[in-house]
Amino acid sequence: YYIMGNHDWEEGNNKDIFKSVIGQRTNQFIEIKGYPFITVSVDGSASDNQRYIYQSTSQNFLRSALEKASQEYPGKPIFVYMHVPLHNTVYGSYAIAPVTLTRSANTEAMKNICNSYPQAIIFSWHSHHPLGDERCIHQEKFTAIHDGNLTFTAVEDGLLPDGQYQFSKDLNITECCSVTVDNKNDVTF
């Protein structure tokens, strides 16, 4: 299963290409082995004039999908995948994040939707930060996980004058999470 990230929008509206080439909807509710999975694609790129990456269509989809999953799969975790992390959750989504995308992407609205679903586990990976940092998991009203990256790993080199981090892109490391759910529905990363 695939979702669209911010770079998938840099050449314009690619939803039609995504649907025709990949053959999937941009937002999906999927059952896999008795567990609910929700994918939410971004609705645009911060580089275009539409600074709100998760627009009302995605917000409404997430709200509806989480409600459906909580009713149809009581007592089970709900796995949610979205490219841009929810603001002030995992490493790379804080106020001093190197990319202002999390602050301008309506991720606060998406976070407020997730707050009502403690069984939700939100996976995101936009920041390129390394997985070894303890800030890659956030547990408050729901669980948020930074799930690594497929190209370079960004390591902090220090702060720039505007308070943002400068990153080294010299580490061509691919990282990801391995997730296990036991017969009691306990989740291990």
Side-chain angles (χ1 to χ4, degrees), residues 101-169:
L101 193 54
T102 60
R103 295 192 297 274
S104 64
N106 279 343
T107 63
E108 197 67 42
M110 299 291 269
K111 181 176 162 183
N112 289 337
I113 293 167
C114 293
N115 282 338
S116 298
Y117 300 92
Q119 68 274 44
I121 302 173
I122 314 301
F123 292 88
S124 61
W125 49 89
H126 174 74
S127 72
H128 290 263
H129 291 334
L131 290 179
D133 192 289
E134 65 187 20
R135 295 171 287 179
C136 289
I137 185 168
H138 170 89
Q139 292 181 290
E140 195 173 323
K141 294 185 179 180
F142 58 88
T143 300
I145 304 287
H146 166 62
D147 191 21
N149 58 79
L150 296 176
T151 57
F152 65 88
T153 296
V155 178
E156 300 164 15
D157 284 341
L159 288 176
L160 297 172
D162 64 357
Q164 298 211 19
Y165 283 117
Q166 177 177 347
F167 286 89
S168 168
K169 295 183 181 182

Side-chain angles (χ1 to χ4, degrees), residues 2-4 15 18-19 24-28 39-41:
Y2 299 92
I3 66 170
M4 292 181 72
K15 275 189 179 182
F18 184 84
K19 288 178 188 178
Q24 296 179 7
R25 294 181 312 278
T26 52
N27 297 332
Q28 301 179 80
T39 67
V40 183
S41 290

